[in-house]
Amino acid sequence: MKVVFNKILHCARFGIITLVLILALSVLALRLVSPHLENYNHDFEKFVGDFIKQPVKIRGISISNRGLEPVFKFDGVVVLSEDESHEILHAREMEVGVDLIGSLFKWQFKPGLLVVRGAEVLVHQKKDNKIEVSGVPVATKTATNAQSTSDGVLSWLFEQGRVFLEDITLRIDLADGKKLNFSDLHFKLYNDTLHHELKIVGAFEQEKSQAFFKVDLKTRGSFFVNGIPAFFGNVTLDNWQFDLNSSVVGDSFFLPTDGEINLLVRNSNIVSKIFRQPIAVKSASSKLVWKRDEQELKLNLSKINFEDEWLRLTGGGVLLFPGGSKMPTVDIKLGIELNDISKAKLYYPAAVMPPRVISWLDSAFVRSKLLDGDIVLQGPLDKFP
């Protein structure tokens, strides 16, 4: 038995040594041919096009390695529509790593890593809620047509092992005329068969300042087969300006039918015409669980913890957005702690209250010890106060 085990161990060692030598020789061979790659530019365009399933144009080619993983670097990559009539994506750089071990075992090309740097993506939502990416339609749950070009590209991205997108600019034009501009985006996408992990950091352009965000999400299911699958994870927002004068929510074409996130907001402001001045938020957190269908969006809020300089709120509740409604019906109960009652005037809706009532409240709430109690808010929010 010991002899058999030693033979197996010897064969395993020999196999590993042979595999390492093959990998090393493969990397060396690729490095040797690197100066001559420009002569095969057309072949590499076909190679990359077959890899991403879209026509491409490439300005320059080089090769390097990460350990024993060869990495092809392509400069000035332009991804075209299937008929090559216009650009879908223009990237400053693209890197495609080769999983040599996986490729040798399967005897076919197997990518190890895809990196895209320096690209701008334009997303346009039409009035019929259909989505276009750089002018190319994307199939959605409401669309019954065949899978579109860009939908195929997006589906393909979620089939790769590792996808890194760096220094990305994203511009979204919504059907209601709003424009969302994101810059310095960095995506890290790790894909398994039915599990995906997505990490995003970046900046959001606001009217007077930039907001920053960090997203760490996990999903289960296949992307774009039946829409976006449910996701769960953590979202952190910094320096955000929440304008309550506009609609609470817009069209949720990017929102999966259900999901769960832990939301943390820091160093932000709540702006509303009903308050005397913006409310400066030190920290606000909550667990959000939602479920959406064609009739309504139901959002459950729990573990609410809000703090600014004077006020603390804790509690939870439910927001219900009926189909077609921008403002929810709410059922929320909050515990309140106000450490200076003279600051109450910052929180009651002075803009919609009679002047005599405002004057009386301002003179009545002068000073006190810590004030605590409960607040219950029920009914359609657009009828408040």
Side-chain angles (χ1 to χ4, degrees):
M1 184 70 181
K2 186 176 181 180
V3 175
V4 174
F5 177 77
N6 288 335
K7 286 184 177 181
I8 294 174
L9 187 61
H10 175 74
C11 291
R13 287 175 179 171
F14 180 77
I16 293 172
I17 293 171
T18 303
L19 182 59
V20 171
L21 286 174
I22 293 174
L23 294 176
L25 289 172
S26 300
V27 171
L28 178 61
L30 290 170
R31 294 297 293 271
L32 289 174
V33 301
S34 182
H36 309 286
L37 292 178
E38 297 291 345
N39 299 330
Y40 301 93
N41 196 77
H42 178 73
D43 296 310
F44 276 98
E45 287 179 346
K46 186 177 185 308
F47 162 73
V48 176
D50 291 342
F51 175 48
I52 68 172
K53 297 180 173 54
Q54 291 297 135
V56 300
K57 295 293 182 182
I58 299 171
R59 186 179 67 241
I61 308 167
S62 61
I63 191 169
S64 61
N65 62 283
R66 288 189 179 91
L68 292 176
E69 180 179 270
V71 177
F72 291 94
K73 181 180 177 181
F74 307 102
D75 297 320
V77 178
V78 179
V79 181
L80 303 170
S81 59
E82 288 188 0
D83 59 3
E84 301 188 19
S85 61
H86 60 277
E87 298 180 5
I88 296 177
L89 180 71
H90 191 159
R92 186 177 68 246
E93 295 177 0
M94 178 183 290
E95 293 182 3
V96 179
V98 181
D99 181 358
L100 277 180
I101 295 178
S103 299
L104 287 171
F105 275 116
K106 291 190 173 183
W107 208 245
Q108 63 180 12
F109 173 73
K110 186 176 187 299
L113 173 66
L114 173 65
V115 181
V116 177
R117 294 190 183 94
E120 182 173 344
V121 180
L122 175 62
V123 178
H124 177 68
Q125 182 191 23
K126 302 174 76 172
K127 291 186 177 180
D128 58 4
N129 282 333
K130 292 182 179 179
I131 309 302
E132 291 183 347
V133 178
S134 299
V136 179
V138 176
T140 62
K141 287 189 71 176
T142 58
T144 57
N145 58 328
Q147 192 178 46
S148 70
T149 297
S150 55
D151 189 38
V153 173
L154 293 172
S155 298
W156 173 86
L157 280 176
F158 284 89
E159 294 171 357
Q160 308 310 306
R162 292 174 295 161
V163 179
F164 295 171
L165 309 181
E166 302 174 356
D167 190 20
I168 306 298
T169 299
L170 173 62
R171 309 197 183 281
I172 303 176
D173 294 336
L174 297 176
D176 59 6
K178 293 180 182 176
K179 297 182 182 296
L180 307 178
N181 297 317
F182 299 87
S183 60
D184 197 25
L185 292 174
H186 292 257
F187 297 75
K188 289 187 177 181
L189 178 62
Y190 304 89
N191 295 311
D192 202 347
T193 305
L194 290 177
H195 295 82
H196 311 275
E197 184 175 350
L198 178 63
K199 299 177 183 293
I200 309 173
V201 295
F204 174 65
E205 304 297 329
Q206 301 175 120
E207 186 175 345
K208 295 182 179 179
S209 63
Q210 274 190 330
F212 303 94
F213 59 91
K214 179 179 180 182
V215 177
D216 189 350
L217 300 175
K218 294 181 180 180
T219 71
R220 299 188 185 95
S222 299
F223 267 77
F224 307 109
V225 175
N226 293 304
I228 301 175
F231 59 67
F232 58 96
N234 303 302
V235 176
T236 302
L237 307 177
D238 280 287
N239 197 37
W240 214 266
Q241 307 298 313
F242 293 94
D243 187 357
L244 299 186
N245 297 323
S246 59
S247 301
V248 173
V249 293
D251 293 307
S252 52
F253 67 88
F254 56 86
L255 192 68
T257 54
D258 57 282
E260 175 184 317
I261 63 170
N262 298 306
L263 177 64
L264 173 62
V265 180
R266 299 179 297 203
N267 306 315
S268 299
N269 288 288
I270 298 175
V271 180
S272 176
K273 61 186 177 182
I274 69 172
F275 299 128
R276 281 173 159 157
Q277 64 185 50
I279 298 174
V281 181
K282 284 185 177 180
S283 175
S285 60
S286 180
K287 180 178 181 180
L288 282 64
V289 180
W290 71 88
K291 192 168 186 63
R292 177 175 64 90
D293 56 31
E294 295 180 358
Q295 281 73 43
E296 64 183 21
L297 166 64
K298 184 177 182 180
L299 178 61
N300 288 282
L301 307 175
S302 61
K303 300 180 181 178
I304 294 176
N305 195 330
F306 171 96
E307 290 185 43
D308 67 6
E309 188 174 1
W310 315 106
L311 179 69
R312 184 183 181 210
L313 300 171
T314 57
V318 178
L319 280 68
L320 187 64
F321 296 87
S325 174
K326 303 297 183 182
M327 298 293 280
T329 298
V330 302
D331 184 2
I332 298 175
K333 182 177 180 180
L334 299 171
I336 178 174
E337 293 181 6
L338 185 63
N339 58 27
D340 185 346
I341 200 169
S342 67
K343 304 299 181 182
K345 59 186 178 183
L346 301 177
Y347 305 103
Y348 49 72
V352 293
M353 297 173 66
R356 288 185 179 180
V357 175
I358 296 173
S359 178
W360 180 84
L361 289 172
D362 288 348
S363 60
F365 295 150
V366 180
R367 61 180 176 270
S368 74
K369 296 180 180 179
L370 175 69
L371 175 69
D372 60 2
D374 292 323
I375 296 176
V376 177
L377 185 61
Q378 294 177 323
L381 198 58
D382 56 1
K383 304 296 183 182
F384 178 81

